[in-house]
Amino acid sequence: MKTILFQGDSITDADRSRELDYKTGIGYPTLVIGELGFENPNEYKFYNRGISGNRVVDVYSRIKEDIINLKPDIMSILIGVNDVWHELNYQNGVDADKYFKLYSMLIEEVKEALPDIKIMILEPFLLKGVSTSDNWDCFRNEVLKRAEKAKAVAEKYQLPFIPLRDKFDEAAKTAPPDYWLIDGVHPTTAGHELIKREWIKAFKKL
C-alpha cells in the first residue's frame, strides 16, 4: 500500500481533523481521496497535514513530524499565499527569495530522507475577493512572484508542477470569482474540484 501526503496551508487543511486521519476535511484532498480510493480500493493510505495559516517556513519547521516520519511515497505541496498575506497584515511574511531558499531546503531534505518519494508542487493562486481587493495589485504581484519561485523549485529538482493561477483566471471568466474562491483565497467546493482535477492529471503522469 502506497502512502499519499497532502501538505500545505488552509487550502489543503480545509477543516481536517487533528485527531482522526480519515477525517481529511472538505477540500481537494478529500475529493482526490474519493476518486483514487474508489478506483483503486485498498491501494493507498492518505494523510492530510495542511495547517491553516502556514507559510513555507512553517511547513519547513515541521518537516520531520509531518513529512519524513510519515514516510509518504507521494507528496503534494501547496504553499505561498500566506507568505504574502502575513506580510500585508502582520509584517511577518516570507519574501520571494527566502521562499525559494526555504522551499529548496525542504525538498532537498525530504529527498535525502526519502530518496524514492515522488513530489508534486502546486502553484499558489488567488482572485479578486473580499480578502484580496484592498491590496489587490500588491497581493497579485507578490503571489505571482511566489508562483514563479514555486515553479523554479519544481524545475530545479525536476518535479511535476501543477499550474493553477491561469486555471482560476479562466474559471473566473465563466462565473464570478467568489463562485470559485469564497474570499479570493479559499476555494468553494467548485474551486476545490478544479484543484482536484489538476492534481489527478499530474498524478497520472507520475
Side-chain angles (χ1 to χ4, degrees), residues 13-204:
D13 182 334
D15 295 323
R16 70 172 177 87
S17 170
R18 298 307 195 260
E19 291 78 35
L20 302 170
D21 282 327
Y22 68 87
K23 292 188 174 181
T24 52
I26 59 172
Y28 74 90
T30 295
L31 297 177
V32 168
I33 291 165
E35 181 168 329
L36 291 184
F38 180 81
E39 293 181 352
N40 308 277
N42 210 37
E43 288 189 19
Y44 299 106
K45 182 176 184 179
F46 302 95
Y47 292 108
N48 182 355
R49 287 295 186 272
I51 294 182
S52 181
N54 266 199
R55 304 155 296 162
V56 69
V57 65
D58 302 305
V59 178
Y60 181 74
S61 73
R62 51 192 181 86
I63 187 173
K64 190 73 164 63
E65 180 179 11
D66 282 346
I67 300 177
I68 293 171
N69 289 354
L70 297 175
K71 296 182 171 61
D73 298 286
I74 299 149
M75 174 176 68
S76 67
I77 309 177
L78 173 54
I79 199 76
V81 171
N82 287 318
D83 299 75
V84 177
W85 207 351
H86 283 216
E87 182 63 26
L88 294 174
N89 287 354
Y90 315 115
Q91 294 74 56
N92 189 33
V94 179
D95 68 47
D97 289 339
K98 187 174 182 180
Y99 172 88
F100 176 80
K101 181 178 181 179
L102 287 166
Y103 216 147
S104 296
M105 290 169 59
L106 175 73
I107 298 301
E108 286 179 9
E109 291 180 31
V110 168
K111 286 171 68 68
E112 182 178 354
L114 306 169
D116 296 324
I117 191 173
K118 295 180 179 179
I119 302 172
M120 301 189 296
I121 293 182
L122 284 72
E123 182 180 32
F125 57 86
L126 81 168
L127 293 172
K128 187 172 284 189
V130 295
S131 293
T132 61
S133 293
D134 287 348
N135 295 296
W136 174 246
D137 288 340
C138 179
F139 215 153
R140 178 78 170 182
N141 291 337
E142 289 298 320
V143 169
L144 173 59
K145 291 179 184 178
R146 305 313 183 282
E148 290 172 342
K149 294 297 186 182
K151 185 176 183 180
V153 170
E155 291 173 346
K156 180 178 180 180
Y157 298 101
Q158 298 182 309
L159 305 175
F161 179 72
I162 303 177
L164 294 171
R165 287 187 313 109
D166 288 347
K167 298 295 182 181
F168 276 104
D169 286 346
E170 287 299 313
K173 295 176 182 178
T174 67
D178 62 4
Y179 182 86
W180 304 101
L181 303 179
I182 298 167
D183 55 358
V185 174
H186 299 97
T188 61
T189 302
H192 279 293
E193 175 67 15
L194 185 158
I195 300 171
K196 182 214 82 171
R197 293 187 182 199
E198 298 306 313
W199 195 103
I200 292 288
K201 285 180 191 176
F203 174 78
K204 288 182 176 178

